[in-house]
Amino acid sequence: MSRTILGYGLLSGAVIIVGIIITIVIGGGAPHSSVWLGYLIMLVGLSSILLAIKQHRDKVLGGVIKFWPAFLIGLGVAVVASLAYVLIWEVYLALTHYSFMEQYVAATLAQKKAAGLSGEAYAKLAADLEAMKRSYANPLYRLPMTFAEIFPVGLLVALVSAALLRNPRFLPARA
């Protein structure tokens, strides 16, 4: 079971971070792509939770699994995927000389200025983004924040997958 969790978790984390980095690279280095696209990439990558539970149910347990064991497998995959996501993101940040937040702040300010934000509201936004940039430079802040980006999605996918796969008629095992 731990091999299944580790394998599917690493695969999931790699798919997600590669997808997100591709969107940043395709966007011309601008880290301001769609939030919905990012979460869609996470859902696609975390679909491996469903596959991991199904594989364990069908190959190890003979086609039947209860909710809690299924949920624990899903939770394990979500944790491994989230940790892989954090680790690969940290490597990406290091390779890009931690320029992500600088680009993010610049892109956000440019977008808001183009939308007509000015004066005191713009100054407040700029100050808030500078404070966020300083916080993000601290790994004790950045690592849990990165983990918190993805783990709730994995938790939700684990819950739904466990609820669906506890029914042996849902995606039944092939003979």
Side-chain angles (χ1 to χ4, degrees), residues 4-172:
T4 300
I5 290 171
L6 187 62
Y8 280 97
L10 290 174
L11 173 69
S12 178
V15 165
I16 294 163
I17 196 68
V18 166
I20 289 176
I21 289 171
I22 286 172
T23 64
I24 292 172
V25 170
I26 288 175
H32 232 85
S33 57
S34 170
V35 172
W36 292 106
L37 178 60
Y39 280 104
L40 179 62
I41 291 169
M42 287 181 190
L43 279 173
V44 168
L46 289 167
S47 66
S48 70
I49 291 172
L50 182 87
L51 300 174
I53 296 170
K54 180 174 173 12
Q55 179 187 9
H56 187 73
R57 178 192 76 178
D58 296 348
K59 297 212 165 112
V60 177
L61 301 177
V64 178
I65 193 167
K66 293 184 182 216
F67 175 81
W68 288 111
F71 176 66
L72 290 176
I73 291 169
L75 190 63
V77 173
V79 167
V80 171
S82 299
L83 291 173
Y85 176 80
V86 170
L87 178 67
I88 297 169
W89 181 249
E90 284 297 311
V91 169
Y92 171 77
L93 287 177
L95 291 174
T96 59
H97 308 289
Y98 297 92
S99 63
F100 172 79
M101 196 50 101
E102 192 73 41
Q103 293 171 351
Y104 176 81
V105 168
T108 301
L109 290 174
Q111 181 184 29
K112 294 298 182 179
K113 190 172 214 167
L117 188 67
S118 62
E120 194 174 304
Y122 183 82
K124 181 178 178 350
L125 176 64
D128 290 346
L129 288 173
E130 275 303 313
M132 185 174 77
K133 186 169 71 172
R134 280 191 306 275
S135 295
Y136 199 76
N138 180 355
L140 295 176
Y141 175 84
R142 184 179 59 247
L143 294 172
M145 289 297 289
T146 306
F147 186 85
E149 285 175 18
I150 185 172
F151 183 71
V153 179
L155 182 62
L156 181 64
V157 172
L159 282 168
V160 171
S161 297
L164 291 172
L165 288 168
R166 68 186 170 95
N167 181 353
R169 292 183 308 250
F170 182 76
L171 298 174

